[in-house]
Structures are given as structure tokens and as C-alpha cells.
Amino acid sequence: MAMVACTSLRTLQFKPNNLSPLFFPPNGKIFPNGVLRVCRTGCGRFSMFIKTAPLVKNGVLSFHGTDALVGVPDNVVMTPCSDSSAFLGATSTESSSRHVFRLGVIEDARLLSLFRFKIWWMIPRVGNSGKDIPVETQMLLLEANKEPNSEKPDENTAYVLFLPILDGDFRSSLQGNSSNELEVCVETGDSTRIASESPKAVFVNYGNNPFELIKESMKILQKYTGTFSLRETKQMPGMLDWFGWCTWDAFYQDVNPQGIKDGLKSLSEGGTPARFLIIDDGWQDTTNEFQKEGEPFVEGTQFGARLMSIRENKKFRKEANDDSSNIPHSLKDFVSDIKRTFGLKYVYVWHALMGYWGGLHPNAPGTKKYNPTLKFPLQSTGNLAHRRDIAMDRMEEYGVGTVDPDRIFEFYDDLHSYLVSQEVDGVKVDVQNILETVATGSGGRVSLTRHFQQSLEKSISNNFQDNGIICCMAQNTDSVYSSKTNAITRASDDYYPKNPTTQTLHIAAVAYNSLFFGEVFVPDWDMFYSLHDAAEFHAVARAVGGCGVYVSDKPGKHDFEILKRLVLPDGSVMRAKYPGRPSRDCLFVDPVMDGKSLMKIWNLNKLSGVLAVFNCQGAGTWPGLENSAQTNGLELSGEISPADIEFLTEISPESFDGDFAVFSFKSGSLSRVSMHGKLNVTLKTLQCDVFTVSPIKSYHQEIQFAPLGLINMYNSGGATNSVEGIDDLSRNRIRIGGRGEGVFGAYSSLEPKFCYVNMKEVEFEFSLENHFLTVNVPTGTSSWEIAVHY
């Protein structure tokens, strides 16, 4: 049995169910530092959980008797925050721009770290003690065991969350050492910004539901800091609900107008029209002194290019003396043409946070007004502890034309207002973490990042009324805790279609990273190829991810069978409600390299849950770990349950007492399963399945019914938005509202007499063996009302 800090382990002795109700005073307080909370658990049961302020005593940090850290040094300070949370920090005898403080020992604990393995990107790592916590950890979740409860096994486990945050000029990250001590590294990124203490470097909280714990913690931090906002408070860009196409893996920097038209045309003709386009890197007016025309290309030199102006390059703008027919007169001419021709609703373009990879050209007429200065980035010790990045290496060598902070809003506003004049609807802003490396002399990484983020968000708000921005390469807490309006951020390293060892890593990384990022943003899963060995693997992940759905197919290279399981004929997608995250039993296992664990990702729709299962084993290896993956693949078996989906009470408050209809997309089978019932799943490497989980409810006393939605779609439940029983004198009816075309499926305890779609009788099939009802929704139907007559 795993325990947090087994030395001097304490367990919860308080048993609420054994106490008389008269024991509880009216205000709910039962101890000086404790509050009894009565709430529903993720599986819908009521639970009683003690919220107590953390305590440091005799070198032990504990939460109501459950130890989180032992051997806490005397220079560690704790500041209470809420009834269950506190800030941890430390003091030093010397002032510096960087400190590493020991916080205490973690041993024999199951833990999950989310850490930056290179300057731009974060991945998960599981372990059992302090030494397993990597440098640059930005979220740490520990599993702590309480006193066993055989009646409610889900309540035997509590969780301790550590979030390194921003404390004044200091940015914090966690790490472990060889003595199993948890350490916090605090740094300003500016040698002139020094201090001898960081008293609020880490936020720590405790709870019995990990998803509620993370959400509650981020709410507390948002209220305390006032520097960022939560996802649910932000304006969602409209492109999230439409199918998109990105030009990057289709063309890379060779993107051109004719190629874009070809790609849009082939997607439209295949029945999955793109309504959202990202024109990625390659459209801007740049110059590159490190990559001479006519000379052989040297990998990495592309990152030395600098921006010459805010306008488009000659591929997208015809010169005065150019009479060629394949070059548009301007970017506006091109964008308006493709919107009109292909029914595009949103066109975004790419740019770097500093304009381009190498920043702005210091002396170009089009950029001089922004007073750019050539700076040579300096990476932190934490970044250098992991994998180096070729883009960063080249930028360190070539320098970055850094925009004067006093002119940065002017730069963004000029750029974005110009793009609006060209009928562009939004931007993908990349290379954002560069700020932490150029902060010396500019007030430090925290204040510089906040200033740039505020300027960027103000420009977006001024120019793009739909909050049209996707953030990218922004996976540091400097940016996360400075985001007030930006609603979307990339949650993984790039999609690499030519690298077979990264496909499984991509899916797992986004799911785990979404635990953290998902509270502040809609995590973006990046593009993928629909015609690829791992295409369905990626497609199912997007279906359950609650994210934007877009591909980067080369023109004419599409798998429309896969795309039509994601995209409706009108180009819309059926996006799930929340960011897709790992199921609770996946939190402390390694679904990529332990050789036994399947990856399960859950989400909700309006009327149903959705659970995707992936075999990520045997294809790739996490960066920094030895290669123990089986290159020939691995077949694994596991179990799924409705209880794997959190917050099912949101769609059916009474569902925890009833059964669920569970539909497997892969097998096409329908099962009736109780809340904690199990179904077996067997998958080979890079195989997946997706399950729709719909609560079975009673209608007209004798009919039990559960809509599954359009079962020809990966996220079938995303198609349905209403269900109700209708009584009349002649017969009982159930009416379901939804959208899309294909095959509607449902669990029905009785065979219907008739089925109607939009008041027209249609054929249906019914299996008495498993009570599976299917109704054909005619081609060309956009929205529908299905009436099932009994």
C-alpha cells in the first residue's frame, strides 16, 4: 500500500458517520482549524470530507493527520490561505536572483509530476519518492491514504497538490534530489533582481477528489493573485466548434496560395469542408542572413530569420510589375476569395510572440519604429538540465531582435489591425517562452512576461472580436499565471507525422497536461494527418479532448472515412464539454512505458459521458527515460467502467443508483452496466476504442431508455441535446433532439411501434437480445427531432 512519507505516518482518525448530528455546530466547524464539507463525489455519491488547515509541527507538514512532507527544514515558512490550503516558501541568509530551497522528504508515495522536458514543452512523469520528481516540475500531485473504508473504497484515498507559483519577481518550479527531498527553485531571470526570501513560492492543498482539488486550487489562486482567469470565465473562440485545416505539415514554410486552395477544395469535395484555416509559418515578410539563397539548407538556420515588416511576403502579395495569375493582389484579396469560394468562417495566421523566430530586424524600415534590440537568450539551469532544443540553440547563437517593451503593444496593435484589414480573424502566437531567456535588464521574467501578455491580450481584444488567438510554445507558469483572456493553448509538443515513436507520447502528454492547463485554457491537441498509420488514434483523442479539431493533410491526401466520424457535413464538430483528462486510476501509472497500463481519457456531453481507451505501450519512450518499450508492439487487456467518468451527476443526478447503456464504437456492441460494473477491453499498440456512456432512465413507468446519439461518430453522444417523454391518449412517445446525419442509436427496454425523424416515418432496427435500437437519419439532415412511439 502506497503511503505519503511513511516516516511518522499519520492517518485520519475522525469518523463522521459515527458521530451524532448533535455534535456539529450550526456553522459546520468541528475543530478550530477544520470544516466538515458534505459533497457529491465524482461518481455521484455523497461523501463527508474534513477540510483542515495544513500544519507544520516537529518538521512534518500534515493535513489533518495525513503527512505530506517530513524533515521540513527550519527556514521553510508556511502561510495559511484557505481552510485546507497554504503557501510554502523559505528564507536565506543571502540575496540572489536564484535560490533552491529544500522543503522536506517524500518517500514511498505515488506521485505525478508535470515538468518541462525542454524549454517549450511539458510532459508527465510518475514515481514513488522525491528523487523521481524532475527538475522544472510545474505541478505535483501526491496520493495519500486515509483510514481504510471497505464500504466506500473510493474514499480511502486523499490527494495532496503542490503548485509552484509566481511570488513577486520570482517564478517557482519544483524538483527532487537524491535524498528524496522536495525542492523549490525560485528565480527571477534577471541578475539585477535579487532577494533573500520567497515566502509564497508554492501553493499546497488537499482533497479526496483529484479533479475537484485541482479546480478548487486554481480558483483559490485566481482569486488570490488576480493575475489570471479560469477557462470557464473566458470567451471561447467560435473556431472551436468547426473543423479546421492547418497548413504546417502540408507545406511547412513553403505554404502558398494555390496549395491552400487545393487543400480546401479536396476537403470540401470529400464531404468534410474546413470552416477554419490556419495559415502557418511562411506567409510573413522576413529575411535570413544565415541562410543564403542558392546554398545548401542547414538545419536550424531557419530560426535566424527576422521580420522585415508586418505585411505579407511576395507569395501572397503581387508586386507592381508582376502580371502572373497565381499570385493574389494582396493577403486581403486571397483571404476574401477563399472565404467566398470555400465557405470559410475563420482564417487565422501564425506569428511568433516576438514577430518571428529571430525577432524583428533591428534596422528594417518596417520594424525600426518598434526599437528592436538584438539580445542573445540565456537559458535557466532548469532548462539546461533536460533536452536541448535546436530552435533555442540557434536563437542563442544568432540572437533575437527583441521588441522594446515600451513599444510591444504598438507592435501587436499595428500587426493585428493590419491583419483585420486583410479579413483575418485571429492569430496563432508561437515561441512564447522566449521571454524567460531575455529578461535580464527588463525587470525579470515574471514582469516581462506579464507585460507582454497584457499587451498581447489587449491587442487581441481591440482587434479580434471573437477572442481569436491560439497560444503556442507557452507552457511555462510565467505565461499560465499571466493569462486573463487568452482561451486556447497548445498542450503538447508538435505532432510529428514522420516519427512513429512520438504518436503515443503525444496522446498521453496532452491528457496529463490537461489536468493543469485545462483549468485556465482549452488545451489544444495540435493538428494531425487523417491519412496516416496513427490517424484513428489521433482522431479519437480529438473527439474526446473537448478541443478544436483540425488536420494538416496534404492536398488530396485524406482518409474521409475517419474524417466523417469527426466532422458533420456542414463542417461542424461535436465538441465534448470539458478538457479530456486521464481517468482516476490512470493518474499514477505510466500508460506509455510500464508495459501493462491502458490510457483512459474521460469527458462529458450534455446527456452522456464519453470514455476513450488507448494502448500507448510499446511504440515510444518518454524523453529522459531509458528505452524499455517493446518495439514490436504489445497487446493489453484492461477494464472500463462508467465510474471512470467523473461528474456523471451533472448529466443525471440520479444516475449513481441506476444502470448505464455503454456503446463501444470499435465493436459496435451495446451493454447494460451498473455504475461500478466492468467491461473488458483488449487493444494492440496504437489501437483505441471510444465508449459512449448514457444513463438509463424510466419513461412512462414501463419504458427504460438511454440515447446514444449518432453511433457513426466517434463522440456519438455529442449529437444529442434533449430527451423527454411525451404522453398522449393514443400512445407513449420519447422525443430526442439533436443534429447531424447517420445512424441514431439508443437503449430501449421495449421495441417501438414507429419511429419518426422530423415528423416523417423512417425504418428502424431493434435487437431484443441487447435492447439496441437504431434509427436511420436521412442524408442532408442538419438538425432533427426523433420521435419513438411505443
Side-chain angles (χ1 to χ4, degrees):
M1 180 177 292
M3 296 181 289
V4 172
C6 63
T7 307
S8 181
L9 183 83
R10 305 172 185 181
T11 55
L12 288 169
Q13 299 298 322
F14 176 66
K15 301 177 181 179
N17 293 335
N18 294 339
L19 294 175
S20 165
L22 298 176
F23 179 84
F24 301 109
N27 63 5
K29 291 192 176 182
I30 54 175
F31 297 121
N33 295 320
V35 175
L36 178 69
R37 295 230 175 136
V38 181
C39 60
R40 292 185 185 274
T41 68
C43 292
R45 294 191 302 270
F46 282 102
S47 67
M48 305 179 91
F49 183 65
I50 306 304
K51 286 287 192 178
T52 78
L55 176 69
V56 175
K57 185 176 181 180
N58 299 324
V60 178
L61 170 65
S62 61
F63 294 82
H64 194 68
T66 298
D67 295 351
L69 296 171
V70 298
V72 177
D74 292 338
N75 69 322
V76 171
V77 295
M78 187 184 75
T79 306
C81 181
S82 72
D83 56 11
S84 67
S85 66
F87 295 104
L88 293 179
T91 62
S92 172
T93 58
E94 298 180 357
S95 292
S96 176
S97 62
R98 182 177 185 271
H99 295 276
V100 176
F101 296 117
R102 296 178 297 115
L103 297 178
V105 174
I106 298 174
E107 290 180 334
D108 299 319
R110 294 216 301 171
L111 58 86
L112 167 67
S113 297
L114 300 180
F115 74 103
R116 287 199 296 166
F117 78 101
K118 66 169 71 167
I119 184 172
W120 319 112
W121 309 118
M122 191 167 77
I123 57 174
R125 177 75 53 82
V126 295
N128 297 289
S129 58
K131 69 178 185 300
D132 298 322
I133 301 169
V135 171
E136 274 293 318
T137 287
Q138 299 191 130
M139 190 195 94
L140 176 65
L141 184 67
L142 301 185
E143 183 183 67
N145 288 291
K146 305 187 313 189
E147 183 174 314
N149 183 334
S150 58
E151 294 183 0
K152 297 180 178 180
D154 287 347
E155 297 180 20
N156 292 338
T157 303
Y159 303 86
V160 180
L161 177 68
F162 292 86
L163 292 173
I165 58 173
L166 310 180
D167 184 14
D169 287 338
F170 283 96
R171 178 261 183 183
S172 307
S173 62
L174 297 172
Q175 59 194 48
N177 65 25
S178 58
S179 299
N180 285 330
E181 291 173 303
L182 176 65
E183 297 177 336
V184 59
C185 173
V186 297
E187 55 194 331
T188 66
D190 186 336
S191 57
T192 68
R193 296 281 175 159
I194 63 174
S196 61
E197 63 178 13
S198 180
K200 296 182 179 180
V202 182
F203 175 83
V204 59
N205 200 3
Y206 169 81
N208 70 339
N209 180 309
F211 304 97
E212 290 177 348
L213 172 62
I214 297 170
K215 176 178 285 294
E216 176 192 57
S217 297
M218 296 301 283
K219 282 184 176 180
I220 293 171
L221 282 176
Q222 184 272 330
K223 185 175 181 180
Y224 167 76
T225 65
T227 61
F228 71 100
S229 300
L230 302 176
R231 169 181 46 80
E232 61 255 31
T233 69
K234 295 178 176 180
Q235 179 185 357
M236 290 297 115
M239 44 70 57
L240 284 169
D241 295 315
W242 298 92
F243 175 55
W245 181 52
C246 178
T247 63
W248 179 244
D249 285 307
F251 304 107
Y252 299 111
Q253 289 169 322
D254 293 329
V255 60
N256 61 84
Q258 188 57 49
I260 292 174
K261 288 182 179 181
D262 292 343
L264 292 170
K265 181 181 179 183
S266 61
L267 284 169
S268 182
E269 290 177 345
T272 58
R275 299 295 185 226
F276 161 55
L277 170 70
I278 301 175
I279 303 177
D280 213 291
D281 190 0
W283 69 272
Q284 291 169 288
D285 179 17
T286 62
T287 186
N288 193 338
E289 64 183 284
F290 308 101
Q291 188 175 301
K292 304 299 183 183
E293 191 171 345
E295 293 183 2
F297 172 73
V298 178
E299 180 63 32
T301 54
Q302 67 268 35
F303 303 114
R306 309 195 200 284
L307 198 68
M308 297 290 285
S309 75
I310 61 174
R311 299 187 64 187
E312 66 273 27
N313 59 34
K314 60 184 181 181
K315 290 186 293 184
F316 291 86
R317 183 183 73 247
K318 188 176 292 187
E319 301 291 339
N321 58 352
D322 190 344
D323 59 357
S324 57
S325 60
N326 62 341
I327 298 177
H329 288 286
S330 65
L331 183 60
K332 179 179 180 178
D333 178 49
F334 174 67
V335 172
S336 61
D337 179 32
I338 58 176
K339 281 185 174 182
R340 182 174 57 252
T341 304
F342 301 106
L344 283 169
K345 294 178 178 291
Y346 304 95
V347 174
Y348 282 31
V349 299
W350 179 98
H351 72 79
L353 189 73
M354 211 67 75
Y356 201 69
W357 290 96
L360 272 56
H361 194 288
N363 300 310
T367 58
K368 286 184 70 173
K369 64 180 290 191
Y370 310 114
N371 197 24
T373 303
L374 195 61
K375 288 193 173 185
F376 292 85
L378 182 65
Q379 291 194 69
S380 69
T381 303
N383 287 335
L384 296 174
H386 293 305
R387 177 172 290 188
R388 294 194 67 90
D389 177 77
I390 188 170
M392 194 70 248
D393 288 345
R394 295 292 79 79
M395 285 188 280
E396 286 179 337
E397 179 183 350
Y398 302 145
V400 176
T402 304
V403 183
D404 185 339
D406 290 338
R407 303 284 179 85
I408 188 61
F409 171 71
E410 183 181 8
F411 169 66
Y412 290 146
D413 196 51
D414 286 351
L415 171 59
H416 296 155
S417 61
Y418 174 72
L419 291 173
V420 169
S421 75
Q422 304 300 295
E423 297 196 7
V424 170
D425 304 286
V427 286
K428 174 183 173 182
V429 183
D430 217 337
V431 204
Q432 295 201 23
N433 287 2
I434 189 65
L435 290 174
E436 68 181 74
T437 70
V438 294
T440 291
S442 298
R445 56 188 291 177
V446 173
S447 62
L448 186 65
T449 298
R450 187 156 295 149
H451 176 65
F452 269 64
Q453 286 289 345
Q454 288 172 349
S455 300
L456 178 62
E457 291 188 334
K458 182 180 177 182
S459 177
I460 296 296
S461 177
N462 284 357
N463 293 290
F464 301 119
Q465 300 307 308
D466 192 51
N467 196 22
I469 180 173
I470 300 171
C471 296
C472 191
M473 299 174 82
Q475 292 188 11
N476 63 9
T477 46
D478 313 53
S479 294
V480 174
Y481 292 127
S482 299
S483 172
K484 284 197 167 185
T485 60
N486 293 341
I488 305 172
T489 198
R490 268 277 297 283
S492 73
D493 197 347
D494 287 4
Y495 166 70
Y496 295 109
K498 298 175 184 177
N499 188 342
T501 69
T502 62
Q503 308 306 313
T504 55
L505 307 183
H506 189 110
I507 302 306
V510 179
Y512 285 97
N513 288 347
S514 294
L515 291 165
F516 177 51
F517 291 136
E519 299 302 328
V520 183
F521 307 98
V522 173
D524 179 77
W525 288 66
D526 203 14
M527 63 204 85
F528 69 101
Y529 278 169
S530 71
L531 189 62
H532 190 272
D533 291 342
E536 186 162 69
F537 208 69
H538 284 277
V540 168
R542 275 55 170 192
V544 77
C547 56
V549 178
Y550 57 104
V551 295
S552 194
D553 294 348
K554 295 179 183 297
K557 303 293 184 181
H558 317 287
D559 186 331
F560 287 108
E561 186 176 356
I562 286 176
L563 290 179
K564 288 179 179 180
R565 297 168 182 170
L566 282 171
V567 186
L568 295 176
D570 64 356
S572 65
V573 296
M574 302 189 304
R575 189 164 63 94
K577 188 175 182 180
Y578 294 123
R581 287 161 287 180
S583 62
R584 203 179 299 201
D585 59 350
C586 287
L587 290 177
F588 303 103
V589 301
D590 184 351
V592 170
M593 290 180 60
D594 70 9
K596 59 184 180 181
S597 301
L598 293 172
M599 174 92 249
K600 294 188 284 186
I601 302 174
W602 65 272
N603 213 323
L604 293 178
N605 295 301
K606 190 172 183 179
L607 300 177
S608 60
V610 58
L611 183 70
V613 187
F614 305 84
N615 184 348
C616 297
Q617 305 278 353
T621 305
W622 291 117
L625 295 181
E626 293 184 6
N627 188 355
S628 60
Q630 298 185 22
T631 55
N632 294 328
L634 193 66
E635 184 173 85
L636 294 177
S637 294
E639 295 178 331
I640 64 106
S641 168
D644 290 328
I645 301 173
E646 303 286 330
F647 312 130
L648 277 171
T649 52
E650 289 187 14
I651 58 173
S652 179
E654 70 278 8
S655 62
F656 56 94
D657 289 327
D659 289 345
F660 294 83
V662 180
F663 173 74
S664 161
F665 183 90
K666 188 170 186 285
S667 67
S669 61
L670 179 65
S671 305
R672 181 170 179 149
V673 186
S674 65
M675 169 62 84
H676 292 279
K678 306 289 187 182
L679 290 176
N680 291 322
V681 181
T682 299
L683 297 168
K684 295 179 180 178
T685 297
L686 285 169
Q687 284 187 342
C688 58
D689 197 359
V690 58
F691 296 86
T692 297
V693 179
S694 183
I696 298 173
K697 298 183 180 181
S698 295
Y699 298 85
H700 315 296
Q701 297 183 335
E702 69 212 23
I703 304 168
Q704 292 187 315
F705 189 87
L708 299 170
L710 293 179
I711 59 174
N712 51 293
M713 308 295 286
Y714 289 126
N715 181 24
S716 62
T720 55
N721 53 45
S722 66
V723 59
E724 58 180 333
I726 306 294
D727 292 307
D728 60 31
L729 296 176
S730 59
R731 61 178 62 89
N732 294 321
R733 288 180 292 153
I734 294 176
R735 187 164 62 196
I736 310 100
R739 63 193 181 99
E741 62 183 50
V743 180
F744 171 81
Y747 173 94
S748 177
S749 59
L750 300 178
E751 182 174 2
K753 293 187 171 84
F754 308 99
C755 288
Y756 293 83
V757 175
N758 293 340
M759 302 181 69
K760 294 183 179 180
E761 186 175 352
V762 295
E763 294 183 354
F764 67 89
E765 294 184 6
F766 180 76
S767 168
L768 189 61
E769 180 181 359
N770 58 3
H771 303 279
F772 196 2
L773 169 67
T774 57
V775 180
N776 289 320
V777 178
T779 300
T781 305
S782 56
S783 61
W784 40 258
E785 183 179 280
I786 295 175
V788 182
H789 293 242
Y790 292 92

